[in-house]
Amino acid sequence: MSVGKVTFTKVEREKLAEVLWLLNWISVVTGAILLGMGLFLKMEIQKWQEVMSEQGVLYVPHMLITTGLAACGINFLGGKICLDCADTNKFLRWKLVMMPYVICTFFFTACILAGALMCYNIRSELEESLFLGLRYSMLYYKDTDTPGRCYLKRMLDLLQIHFQCCGNTGYKDWFQIQWISYRYLDLRSMAVVDRLRNNVEGKFLMDSVPFSCCSPLSPRPCIQQQLNRPLAHFNFDQQSQHLNLWRKGCRQALLDHYTIIMQSISLIVLLIWLFELLVLTGVRYLQTAMENVIRVGDPESESEGWILENSLAETARSNFNIIKNLGKCYQVDNDPNINVPAMIAEQEIHSEQVQVQRTS
Amino acid sequence: MAVLRVKFTKTKRDKLAQVLWILNWISVVTGVILFALGLYLKVEINKRVELMAERDIQYVPNMLIAVGLIACAINFLGGKICYDCVDTTKFLRWKLIMLPYIVCTFFFTFCVLVGALMCYSMRGELEESLALGLTQAMRFYKDTDIPGRCFLKRTVDMLQIQFQCCGNSGYKDWFQIQWISNRYLDMSQQHVVDRLRSNVEGKYLMDGVPFSCCNINSPRPCIQQQVTNNSAHYNYEHQTEELNLWMKGCRQALLEYYTDIMQSIGLTVLITWLFELSVLTGVRYLQTSLENVLRQGDPDSESDGWLLENSFMETARINLNIIKSLGKNNHIDTAKNGDPNIDVPSTSKAHYGPDNVPPKTIKEAS
């Protein structure tokens, strides 16, 4: 009771081999596309990796890169095999390799599917990573003289300008950290000392934001200072306040950016997975059809191809038994190749003699 | 005395025709590249057209686009011709067109060269256009409520952020214009009124710059107000401070940007011109050698190919005479180079010798 049995004439087999050769070469190209997408994602993550707390998210592009390379290799081999399969003589060369090849490719397509699903699932990890990373970057914004942190001001300014965002969740995050270094604070001034004393931890906090939070779309020059007191500025109504700074938080902005990239990538990877599955099915049919032709003996005759020789349950059972027997390699258990001791052999001869007597 | 005469066997001619067919198709691709470069330059100029005053700089990308399209068409036709030239019978179809085609392509390659040189010469006009355009844009920076100018604030801010520049020649240009609109100035405050009064034209000028001039590389938070007042800020000296604001002027930044683009485009066009010239030379050789084969009659024999049949001076003289006689088309001019196609009047008839000559007696052979 085979699964998906199809009869193939000689012409159909040759056509199938040619089509599969072409499809395998297209799959090499899609493998290269996978590799390209993995590299692109890696570059995009590395561009802003300073605002991410740990780079655990890099496993996704690494997975895509290895899958892409493996796809190129597997489909290149598949192309060579299918080219030779049109001729029964050349098929004999590949006969022993084909079954392992089909199984490997089957597990490999499962890897591709896993890669696609990973791209969808990474969002929450990324959000966590961005939240912590941005918080640290903002804390160390003022430390432009400390090695290891001196680039954070520039990075954060660039980020806010490029992604049109301000702060972690919003611009008010800047009110809770000291983003002006002590080097630029006149500690002799009464105003400065008062403000420092006001704060429990002795931090210089103000209701102002860095210039990179300013929106060029505002009709009026940017107001960065005294944001909690709109009356301190002339004609600073609700609408002006709304347009003055970027409203979006940088965590949200970066998350949106990466989510779009990864959704597109995972859609393309899903399509590639379906294509690979199709090619694999074709190769399986070709393999079984060619094997049956050799079994029949006549290269010109029709032959059958299938996906599984027996039903799914039977195939699972027989594979399970094989795996069990692999485990019990050295145990005596009705293995005809193992030498049976003499006691049991005599019993057999006795039973044969009884049968001979009966027939005569 | 032909110019650069080369002998061609039949196989050489066939090979030349095939090679020229491929080269013509490559030239179609380079024509498409020229077209794309022209489009790219046009898009880049139009992106910042608000910052450029009225100057005629659109002719450069328009020229490149036209040249690219014509190159595609000419080389497509050339490809078809060269494809047919392998066979002498098919060549007869194209025989009459080939010489005009070669002459046209020769003048067309001049256009390509002119296009390349234009790319390099556009710089001066562009600089002038940018200087005027930027001055205007900065003057109308505050007019975000006037239609037709409301977008200029955004354009200038984005320009200064993207190109990392400030002002026209430098940040001090902002000190000389009022970039804060009167709508946002509190006229009830004394210091505002004082400042307005202290200026001749009643403009609110200050030593402050917009936020887009701030340099992201600065180790300290940006100082935008009272830029020239050292005592207003702790530990600050504006004469030595180079990292606070962008030091470059936007005119210089934009000029460098466009000059880079146009130098690359100019180089590409020059290379395309050299390539077209070599293809044209090949087509000329092919044409002359095939015509000579037809003249000889035997399609398999050797033939000569040349660039010009006679020396350069003679060809120039012959062409000049042709152009002159085209001009004198309807004049009867039998005094010098008589045109044999015009009917000569009987007053100057042919001279066959004197009349009344007695016939000669033929002696009989004995």
Side-chain angles (χ1 to χ4, degrees):
Chain A
M1 190 58 233
S2 342
V3 176
K5 192 192 290 242
V6 176
T7 317
F8 288 100
T9 60
K10 177 165 166 62
V11 171
E12 277 180 351
R13 276 199 303 273
E14 282 176 2
K15 195 120 204 205
L16 181 66
E18 273 174 23
V19 165
L20 281 175
W21 171 73
L22 193 64
L23 288 184
N24 266 306
W25 274 105
I26 295 175
S27 285
V28 173
V29 171
T30 58
I33 291 174
L34 261 182
L35 177 70
M37 286 196 303
L39 281 172
F40 170 70
L41 188 60
K42 191 177 167 91
M43 269 183 355
E44 276 295 318
I45 289 177
Q46 278 180 336
K47 240 202 270 186
W48 301 110
Q49 69 177 25
E50 277 121 15
V51 295
M52 298 187 201
S53 60
E54 37 14 78
Q55 275 83 66
V57 294
L58 275 175
Y59 69 87
V60 177
H62 288 157
M63 171 96 174
L64 284 174
I65 289 170
T66 36
T67 313
L69 285 171
C72 282
I74 284 182
N75 287 306
F76 182 71
L77 180 64
K80 281 180 85 64
I81 292 177
C82 290
L83 185 65
D84 286 345
C85 276
D87 186 8
T88 21
N89 291 330
K90 289 195 193 155
F91 171 69
L92 290 167
R93 263 199 290 170
W94 295 110
K95 192 172 176 311
L96 292 171
V97 178
M98 268 198 105
M99 189 70 202
Y101 170 79
V102 169
I103 294 174
C104 271
T105 314
F106 180 68
F107 285 117
F108 171 71
T109 47
C111 285
I112 296 183
L113 185 64
L117 295 173
M118 258 201 266
C119 285
Y120 276 118
N121 289 337
I122 203 176
R123 193 191 153 101
S124 53
E125 234 185 279
L126 190 61
E127 179 155 14
E128 180 80 28
S129 170
L130 281 172
F131 177 74
L132 288 170
L134 276 170
R135 203 158 60 146
Y136 280 124
S137 304
M138 284 168 67
L139 272 171
Y140 302 138
Y141 182 85
K142 66 185 190 314
D143 297 332
T144 46
D145 53 345
T146 311
R149 299 180 196 164
C150 47
Y151 53 83
L152 281 173
K153 176 183 181 295
R154 179 170 190 271
M155 172 73 32
L156 209 45
D157 281 334
L158 259 178
L159 182 80
Q160 293 190 146
I161 291 173
H162 186 254
F163 283 95
Q164 301 183 344
C165 60
C166 186
N168 207 331
T169 327
Y171 68 91
K172 295 199 176 171
D173 297 331
W174 286 107
F175 299 172
Q176 289 149 18
I177 60 163
Q178 177 182 353
W179 53 274
I180 302 180
S181 172
Y182 289 118
R183 289 171 288 149
Y184 309 117
L185 289 172
D186 187 4
L187 295 169
R188 295 165 300 179
S189 153
M190 243 4 243
V192 172
V193 172
D194 275 345
R195 204 181 267 276
L196 281 171
R197 282 213 202 114
N198 264 340
N199 182 265
V200 170
E201 296 160 41
K203 291 199 285 189
F204 188 84
L205 304 181
M206 335 184 279
D207 52 351
S208 61
V209 293
F211 77 93
S212 43
C213 279
C214 285
S215 166
L217 305 171
S218 167
R220 75 182 294 165
C222 186
I223 291 171
Q224 298 167 236
Q225 267 64 14
Q226 295 181 317
L227 287 163
N228 274 336
R229 296 203 300 134
L231 294 171
H233 313 281
F234 184 67
N235 202 8
F236 194 38
D237 57 357
Q238 276 283 46
Q239 207 201 350
S240 295
Q241 289 173 46
H242 198 79
L243 291 170
N244 186 40
L245 303 173
W246 298 122
R247 308 300 289 183
K248 203 184 236 190
C250 287
R251 187 182 75 240
Q252 186 62 34
L254 275 171
L255 203 61
D256 287 343
H257 171 72
Y258 282 119
T259 305
I260 291 176
I261 291 179
M262 284 198 286
Q263 273 177 357
S264 328
I265 287 181
S266 67
L267 186 69
I268 295 174
V269 174
L270 272 176
L271 288 172
I272 291 177
W273 172 69
L274 286 172
F275 188 70
E276 287 271 355
L277 217 56
L278 184 74
V279 174
L280 179 64
T281 316
V283 172
R284 173 65 173 163
Y285 271 120
L286 187 65
Q287 178 224 355
T288 46
M290 294 303 285
E291 283 191 350
N292 283 335
V293 154
I294 290 177
R295 211 175 290 171
V296 165
D298 178 16
E300 308 290 323
S301 70
E302 277 190 2
S303 70
E304 286 172 348
W306 49 64
I307 295 180
L308 292 172
E309 188 163 3
N310 308 305
S311 72
L312 191 65
E314 276 214 43
T315 318
R317 204 156 27 94
S318 52
N319 283 336
F320 199 52
N321 284 338
I322 292 173
I323 295 169
K324 272 207 293 189
N325 288 335
L326 278 175
K328 307 181 196 169
C329 216
Y330 293 112
Q331 290 185 16
V332 177
D333 195 10
N334 283 336
D335 189 340
N337 289 330
I338 294 178
N339 197 6
V340 174
M343 222 171 47
I344 303 167
E346 272 177 16
Q347 282 180 6
E348 281 189 3
I349 291 169
H350 183 68
S351 63
E352 274 181 25
Q353 279 175 348
V354 168
Q355 281 181 1
V356 166
Q357 278 174 7
R358 260 212 246 135
T359 48
S360 62
Chain B
M1 192 50 237
V3 177
L4 291 179
R5 187 197 290 256
V6 176
K7 262 199 170 352
F8 287 99
T9 60
K10 176 159 170 63
T11 42
K12 264 190 170 179
R13 275 198 305 272
D14 288 345
K15 195 118 205 211
L16 181 67
Q18 280 174 5
V19 165
L20 280 175
W21 173 70
I22 291 175
L23 287 184
N24 266 306
W25 274 105
I26 295 175
S27 283
V28 172
V29 170
T30 57
V32 169
I33 291 173
L34 267 183
F35 174 74
L37 285 175
L39 265 180
Y40 171 70
L41 187 59
K42 198 174 173 79
V43 163
E44 281 292 323
I45 288 177
N46 280 339
K47 253 202 253 182
R48 293 175 188 96
V49 75
E50 301 142 355
L51 299 167
M52 300 186 199
E54 290 300 317
R55 280 293 180 277
D56 209 6
I57 44 177
Q58 291 278 11
Y59 68 90
V60 178
N62 289 340
M63 170 95 174
L64 284 174
I65 289 172
V67 162
L69 285 174
I70 295 174
C72 281
I74 282 184
N75 287 306
F76 182 71
L77 180 64
K80 280 180 87 64
I81 292 176
C82 291
Y83 189 69
D84 285 345
C85 278
V86 179
D87 189 3
T88 22
T89 43
K90 286 195 195 159
F91 170 69
L92 290 167
R93 263 199 290 171
W94 296 108
K95 191 169 174 312
L96 292 171
I97 298 183
M98 269 196 103
L99 191 53
Y101 168 80
I102 287 175
V103 171
C104 272
T105 314
F106 182 66
F107 286 119
F108 169 69
T109 46
F110 264 126
C111 289
V112 175
L113 184 64
V114 164
L117 294 174
M118 263 203 269
C119 286
Y120 288 109
S121 63
M122 197 172 122
R123 192 197 153 101
E125 268 188 53
L126 187 64
E127 179 156 15
E128 217 177 286
S129 171
L130 281 173
L132 286 169
L134 278 170
T135 315
Q136 291 279 73
M138 283 167 67
R139 205 179 302 149
F140 301 140
Y141 182 86
K142 66 183 191 316
D143 297 332
T144 48
D145 53 346
I146 299 177
R149 300 181 195 165
C150 48
F151 50 83
L152 280 171
K153 177 183 181 297
R154 180 171 188 263
T155 309
V156 171
D157 280 336
M158 301 291 250
L159 175 76
Q160 295 190 143
I161 291 173
Q162 191 186 340
F163 282 87
Q164 300 186 344
C165 61
C166 187
N168 208 331
S169 336
Y171 66 86
K172 296 196 175 168
D173 296 332
W174 286 108
F175 299 168
Q176 287 147 19
I177 60 164
Q178 176 181 354
W179 54 274
I180 302 180
S181 172
N182 285 331
R183 288 172 290 152
Y184 307 118
L185 290 172
D186 190 1
M187 301 301 181
S188 61
Q189 299 238 333
Q190 192 55 39
H191 69 89
V192 173
V193 175
D194 280 343
R195 202 181 270 274
L196 281 169
R197 281 212 204 114
S198 66
N199 180 265
V200 170
E201 296 160 43
K203 291 199 284 190
Y204 187 86
L205 304 180
M206 28 177 237
D207 54 348
V209 291
F211 78 93
S212 42
C213 279
C214 287
N215 191 340
I216 56 176
N217 297 314
S218 169
R220 75 183 294 167
C222 185
I223 291 169
Q224 298 167 235
Q225 324 291 10
Q226 298 180 335
V227 174
T228 47
N229 188 354
N230 286 342
S231 52
H233 313 279
Y234 183 67
N235 200 5
Y236 173 67
E237 221 177 292
H238 82 272
Q239 292 96 340
T240 52
E241 185 68 55
E242 281 185 355
L243 288 175
N244 183 41
L245 302 173
W246 298 122
M247 300 309 280
K248 198 184 245 193
C250 285
R251 186 182 71 238
Q252 184 63 30
L254 276 173
L255 202 61
E256 279 174 9
Y257 175 71
Y258 280 117
T259 307
D260 276 342
I261 292 180
M262 285 192 296
Q263 274 177 355
S264 327
I265 291 182
L267 188 68
T268 312
V269 176
L270 270 177
I271 293 174
T272 308
W273 172 68
L274 286 171
F275 188 70
E276 288 270 354
L277 217 55
S278 64
V279 173
L280 180 64
T281 316
V283 173
R284 173 63 173 167
Y285 272 120
L286 187 67
Q287 179 226 355
T288 45
S289 62
L290 280 174
E291 283 191 350
N292 284 333
V293 156
L294 284 176
R295 213 175 290 172
Q296 286 171 14
D298 178 16
D300 292 326
S301 67
E302 274 190 5
S303 69
D304 286 337
W306 50 62
L307 284 177
L308 293 171
E309 188 163 1
N310 307 306
S311 75
F312 195 60
M313 298 300 297
E314 276 213 43
T315 318
R317 202 160 27 94
I318 292 172
N319 285 333
L320 207 62
N321 284 337
I322 291 175
I323 295 169
K324 273 206 289 193
S325 16
L326 277 177
K328 305 183 200 166
N329 218 346
N330 295 315
H331 290 176
I332 299 174
D333 194 10
T334 51
K336 302 175 183 175
N337 305 331
D339 189 344
N341 289 328
I342 295 178
D343 193 19
V344 175
S346 50
T347 45
S348 53
K349 64 177 177 189
H351 194 249
Y352 291 111
D355 289 331
N356 302 325
V357 173
K360 268 192 184 163
T361 49
I362 301 168
K363 284 189 181 157
E364 272 188 52
S366 51

